[in-house]
């Protein structure tokens, strides 16, 4: 079995989507402090942190996308949504702040020489994380799925999808057609994935189980690609 980590590091000062609360992390208990609790050599240390539920690598809960009172929060969503056969396609040729079109997606599928099957999890390699890790352009210089490409995702009956950028929508968009598609279709998505260059144009089993945060609107996730499971 080979595992590729598709998650970004979580750390103080990491970039988060504009307006989200920042990530903070600090030393909470040290070996020195805890040693006195034990009569043996044992001691431990821990860290504390705060972060936005949509801050790091995460999956959007239905309640994030949908204002209706019965939209599921992350702890209420079926775990079956977050694990399954997956294909990663290459849209890294699409210029920043433009719409990814159905033609781009068809060409990417052609390059992968594999069709996404109904029920697959589809990952889109935009190259944004690879280009701009720790660079503020990460938050603004990437393409996003336009209205027609969002319908392409829906019509291919993908189970979930994900991107290596802060949002699957075009950052220049004021209407967010891709998030609206996720809202109406129940096809949710991952944001802030990493290392998609290592899995692009291949099939694998995607695992992206979100933290079970009660009532939260997104789930920070350790996402991974598993080969030869
Ligand atoms: Zn989202």
């Amino acid at each position: 079995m080979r595992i590729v980590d598709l998650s970004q590091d979580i750390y103080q000062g990491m970039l988060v989507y504009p307006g989200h609360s920042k990530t903070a992390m600090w030393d909470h208990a040290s070996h020195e402090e805890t040693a006195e609790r034990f009569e043996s050599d044992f001691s431990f240390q821990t860290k504390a942190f705060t972060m936005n539920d949509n801050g790091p690598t995460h999956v959007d809960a239905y309640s994030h996308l949908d204002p209706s009172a019965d939209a599921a929060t992350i702890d209420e969503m079926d775990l079956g949504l977050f694990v399954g056969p997956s294909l990663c396609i290459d849209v890294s040729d699409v210029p920043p702040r433009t719409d990814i079109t159905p033609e781009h997606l068809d060409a990417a599928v052609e390059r992968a020489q594999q069709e996404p099957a109904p029920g697959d999890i589809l990952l889109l390699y935009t190259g944004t994380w690879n280009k701009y890790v720790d660079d503020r352009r990460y938050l603004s210089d990437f393409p996003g799925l336009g209205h027609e490409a969002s319908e392409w995702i829906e019509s291919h009956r993908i189970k979930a999808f994900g991107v290596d950028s802060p949002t699957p929508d075009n950052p220049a968009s004021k209407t967010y057609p891709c998030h609206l598609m996720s809202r109406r279709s129940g096809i949710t998505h991952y944001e802030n994935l990493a290392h998609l260059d290592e899995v692009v144009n291949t099939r694998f089993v995607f695992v992206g189980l979100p933290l079970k945060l009660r009532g939260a609107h997104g789930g920070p996730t350790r996402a991974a690609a598993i080969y030869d499971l």
Side-chain angles (χ1 to χ4, degrees), residues 54 58 60 64-65 166-168 179 189 191:
N54 277 248
H58 71 278
D60 284 7
H64 173 71
L65 302 163
T167 166
H179 275 77
H189 56 261
E191 292 159 341

Side-chain angles (χ1 to χ4, degrees), residues 109-219:
V109 164
E110 184 83 26
R111 278 194 294 275
Q113 298 186 304
Q114 325 221 29
E115 283 275 335
D120 273 357
I121 295 171
L122 183 70
L123 305 186
L124 303 176
Y125 169 59
T126 69
T128 311
W129 179 80
N130 292 84
K131 268 191 287 192
Y132 295 132
V133 62
D134 283 334
D135 179 324
R136 291 202 70 77
R137 284 175 289 181
Y138 178 74
L139 301 176
S140 56
D141 287 16
F142 56 90
L145 294 160
H147 180 71
E148 287 81 17
S150 301
E151 289 188 331
W152 186 103
I153 297 277
E154 195 175 7
S155 68
H156 281 71
R157 292 157 55 210
I158 302 300
K159 179 165 75 174
F161 61 102
V163 290
D164 54 355
S165 63
T167 166
D169 272 292
N170 179 348
S173 168
K174 295 270 189 273
T175 56
Y176 264 32
C178 187
H179 275 77
L180 284 173
M181 180 278 289
S182 283
R183 176 194 286 183
R184 76 168 173 267
S185 66
I187 304 171
T188 192
H189 56 261
Y190 290 82
E191 292 159 341
N192 299 322
L193 293 167
H195 300 293
L196 295 187
D197 58 310
E198 295 180 34
V199 301
V200 71
N201 295 330
T202 68
R203 279 199 155 276
F204 45 88
V205 172
F206 177 83
V207 179
L209 297 172
L211 289 180
K212 198 173 184 181
L213 296 167
R214 192 184 289 181
H217 310 304

Side-chain angles (χ1 to χ4, degrees), residues 4-25:
V4 179
D5 191 346
L6 304 181
S7 325
Q8 296 185 14
D9 288 356
I10 297 172
Y11 54 98
Q12 177 115 7
M14 63 184 279
L15 294 170
V16 296
Y17 186 84
H20 284 353
S21 57
K22 291 182 168 39
T23 302
M25 189 179 287

Side-chain angles (χ1 to χ4, degrees), residues 211-229:
L211 289 180
K212 198 173 184 181
L213 296 167
R214 192 184 289 181
H217 310 304
T221 297
R222 187 67 180 260
I226 303 179
Y227 291 91
D228 302 323
L229 188 65

Side-chain angles (χ1 to χ4, degrees), residues 62 72-83 159 209-210:
Y62 294 141
T73 52
I74 199 68
D75 51 317
E76 295 170 335
M77 290 171 70
D78 183 344
L79 289 186
L81 287 172
F82 309 125
V83 179
K159 179 165 75 174
L209 297 172

